[in-house]
Amino acid sequence: MIDDIKQYVNWFRLSSPYINAHRGKTFVLMLGGEAVADPNFDHIVHDIALLNSLGVRLVLVHGSRVQIERRLTEQGLKPRLHHHRRVTDQDTLRCVIEAAATVRTEIEARLSMGLSNTPMHGARIRVVSGNSVTARPVGVHDGVDLGFTGEVRRIDSDAISQQLDQGNIVLLSHLGYSPTGEIFNLAVEDVATRTATALNADKLVLFGTDKGVLDSKQALRSELLTRKAERLVHHYLSSLEDSDTPHTELSRNLEAAVSACRGGVERCHLISYKEDGALLTELFTRDGSGTMVLQESYEQIRQATIEDVGGLLELIRPMEEQGILVRRSRERLESEIERFTLVERDSAIIGCAALYPFAKEQAGELACVAISPEYRGGERGDLLLDAVEKQAVALGLKQIFVLTTRTAHWFIERGFAEIPVDDLPGEKKSLYNLQRNSKVFSKPL
């Protein structure tokens, strides 16, 4: 029991930076009809309520594919697809409207719960729906009239933002409305993507059956750059030659993530609606629970190679001359280059950090942390530190330490605490430079 309490307290403390980072941000969550029908949906609702309580501005976009299929079967209607899209005639549209209304009502009911013995107690969530999605018909495609199948024409971002400013959760369906009063059946991924881009949302979270994207060894990919994700989308879609076969859920979600990133959304997340706590784990832990798709950037963090020695010397030499960094010769840099992680901007090295592991003590030294003066004041130092910490964890290290003469407060603000020189690993302690009189700080991983 005591261990459980300690674990809970530790997790809560470690989640604090994420709580602060997400407060006031706008997240769009896409939930397909399969997610709403899953037994885990109650837990998802509880987690949505928690996000709302923590000050996250939330837009929920729901689909109802499985509910539509059920109604078509009950009505004796055969689903029709053309180029992987549903053909929506008048009878099908009636089933679509009924399914969407049922799913929307169910979500609103779940978010209205407030029983004293549930996580929803005291939440008092206000959910707002409406006609914020303007649509138009897809029309005739290769000689086939898709009927009331439509595509997003416009998202009323001003109206949605006003509701978010009042602390309301906005709930959108996959139905769109035209200026002529018609109703169109839209792809839920299209609505979610266009909503996220129109709102300039900070995140788009896409719930699916799978946790995310797996690599060739069937291991979960925690991160994907947009360019790589786009190649995967083409791979998935090119394998489907039959236009009467729907695209897979993963390919649809990944395509939506790519489209959102191209439209300005910085981060998109693919997570599983079957996994209890996946939303919280993805948003409030370092490793997450799914696959995050990131915008391409003209800045990148990468491992150094031998070709980077010249650029590294140019970056760190002024700081060495000021006594901020310990001097390193070209020969030493060449021999230790694999220890360095770089921040590169337009092919120029603007930041670096090195990790020297001490396997016996399960500790690592963070060294030569430097950001070019012109690029200080952003989050590059934090990104470097995060990258080095991930390397250390991958190496099985339990803590990292740093020796510094000028930047103690920067490290303290990021979770480091001062330790005595005698606590250094034996090999490092024997090399300690008394003349520099560096202070030693350590951080558990």
Side-chain angles (χ1 to χ4, degrees):
M1 180 66 177
I2 294 177
D3 288 340
D4 290 341
I5 292 174
K6 287 182 177 179
Q7 186 177 9
Y8 167 76
V9 170
N10 186 50
W11 181 88
F12 202 52
R13 286 169 175 164
L14 291 175
S15 66
S16 297
Y18 298 99
I19 293 173
N20 294 327
H22 297 333
R23 186 182 298 114
K25 298 298 177 63
T26 301
F27 295 175
V28 176
L29 312 184
M30 191 204 79
L31 294 152
E34 298 85 355
V36 179
D38 193 82
N40 189 50
F41 185 62
D42 278 341
H43 295 142
I44 294 175
V45 169
H46 296 160
D47 295 344
I48 289 172
L50 178 57
L51 289 182
N52 182 68
S53 300
L54 293 173
V56 179
R57 296 152 54 93
L58 294 171
V59 179
L60 310 184
V61 182
H62 76 81
S64 58
R65 281 191 179 94
V66 65
Q67 291 82 1
I68 293 171
E69 296 296 329
R70 186 183 306 127
R71 277 170 171 74
L72 290 174
T73 301
E74 291 171 353
Q75 297 294 323
L77 300 173
K78 184 179 179 181
R80 291 177 57 206
L81 294 177
H82 179 67
H83 285 287
H84 316 287
R85 305 182 74 165
R86 188 185 300 279
V87 178
T88 309
D89 57 22
Q90 191 69 56
D91 292 333
T92 301
L93 180 63
R94 185 174 62 254
C95 294
V96 168
I97 294 172
E98 291 173 355
T102 300
V103 172
R104 187 198 73 187
T105 304
E106 185 173 351
I107 294 174
E108 289 176 342
R110 302 284 187 93
L111 288 171
S112 300
M113 291 191 300
L115 296 176
S116 59
N117 60 343
T118 72
M120 300 291 291
H121 179 59
R124 293 187 178 88
I125 294 174
R126 293 172 298 182
V127 184
V128 177
S129 301
N131 59 343
S132 297
V133 181
T134 302
R136 61 186 167 218
V138 172
V140 178
H141 193 184
D142 285 347
V144 176
D145 186 354
L146 295 182
F148 293 95
T149 296
E151 56 191 13
V152 177
R153 180 178 179 182
R154 187 175 67 87
I155 300 293
D156 191 346
S157 56
D158 290 339
I160 294 174
S161 295
Q162 288 173 12
Q163 295 299 330
L164 295 176
D165 291 341
Q166 296 177 34
N168 299 330
I169 290 180
V170 176
L171 178 61
L172 303 178
S173 76
H174 58 92
L175 297 180
Y177 309 93
S178 74
T180 58
E182 293 178 293
I183 302 173
F184 291 101
N185 179 28
L186 313 175
V188 62
E189 296 85 7
D190 189 21
V191 178
T193 300
R194 291 289 299 274
T195 301
T197 54
L199 292 173
N200 195 25
D202 299 281
K203 290 182 184 293
L204 169 61
V205 181
L206 303 143
F207 287 84
T209 306
D210 302 315
K211 290 184 176 182
V213 178
L214 304 180
D215 62 20
S216 58
K217 297 180 181 178
Q218 298 305 297
L220 182 67
R221 294 284 298 267
S222 61
E223 291 184 2
L224 277 177
L225 288 177
T226 310
R227 185 167 42 201
K228 173 65 175 178
E230 199 165 30
R231 288 199 297 267
L232 287 175
V233 169
H234 291 321
H235 171 72
Y236 291 143
L237 299 188
S238 64
S239 63
L240 293 173
E241 297 179 358
D242 183 4
S243 68
D244 292 335
T245 301
H247 290 157
T248 64
E249 180 188 68
L250 178 59
S251 65
R252 292 195 305 264
N253 288 356
L254 194 57
E255 187 173 27
V258 170
S259 178
C261 284
R262 296 296 188 205
V265 180
E266 289 187 3
R267 298 185 178 190
C268 298
H269 303 259
L270 278 63
I271 62 174
S272 174
Y273 59 75
K274 292 182 173 293
E275 182 181 344
D276 186 13
L279 180 60
L280 299 184
T281 306
E282 180 69 9
L283 296 178
F284 294 98
T285 65
R286 178 187 296 169
D287 297 328
S289 63
T291 298
M292 178 169 61
V293 180
L294 300 161
Q295 275 189 23
E296 301 290 342
S297 174
Y298 55 95
E299 283 188 15
Q300 62 172 324
I301 293 181
R302 62 172 178 83
Q303 290 303 113
T305 67
I306 194 66
E307 288 81 12
D308 297 313
V309 171
L312 261 177
L313 283 170
E314 185 177 345
L315 171 68
I316 66 177
R317 192 66 77 211
M319 283 170 264
E320 291 177 347
E321 292 172 353
Q322 296 170 39
I324 299 173
L325 297 178
V326 175
R327 286 190 177 272
R328 286 172 171 79
S329 65
R330 175 180 285 272
E331 291 74 18
R332 182 181 174 186
L333 276 178
E334 289 177 351
S335 65
E336 298 178 349
I337 194 64
E338 75 280 357
R339 305 289 188 195
F340 281 80
T341 300
L342 308 178
V343 181
E344 184 182 63
R345 180 187 177 100
D346 289 337
S347 300
I349 298 172
I350 64 169
C352 70
L355 175 66
Y356 296 87
F358 295 84
K360 181 180 178 181
E361 293 86 354
Q362 292 186 301
E365 180 187 5
L366 174 65
C368 200
V369 181
I371 300 293
S372 179
E374 309 96 280
Y375 297 100
R376 293 173 189 166
E379 298 182 349
R380 297 175 182 89
D382 295 282
L383 294 173
L384 268 174
L385 177 59
D386 185 60
V388 172
E389 287 181 359
K390 287 180 178 178
Q391 289 178 30
V393 170
L395 291 172
L397 306 182
K398 301 299 183 183
Q399 64 172 326
I400 56 174
F401 64 89
V402 62
L403 280 70
T404 182
T405 58
R406 304 278 189 92
T407 54
H409 278 268
W410 190 89
F411 290 104
I412 291 172
E413 291 167 3
R414 284 150 183 84
F416 286 77
E418 188 171 3
I419 62 172
V421 174
D422 286 342
D423 286 355
L424 286 171
E427 183 181 347
K428 182 63 183 179
K429 186 164 60 176
S430 66
L431 299 173
Y432 182 79
N433 189 333
L434 292 172
Q435 287 185 328
R436 281 183 64 83
N437 194 28
S438 300
K439 291 187 176 183
V440 184
F441 295 85
S442 177
K443 179 182 180 179
L445 298 173

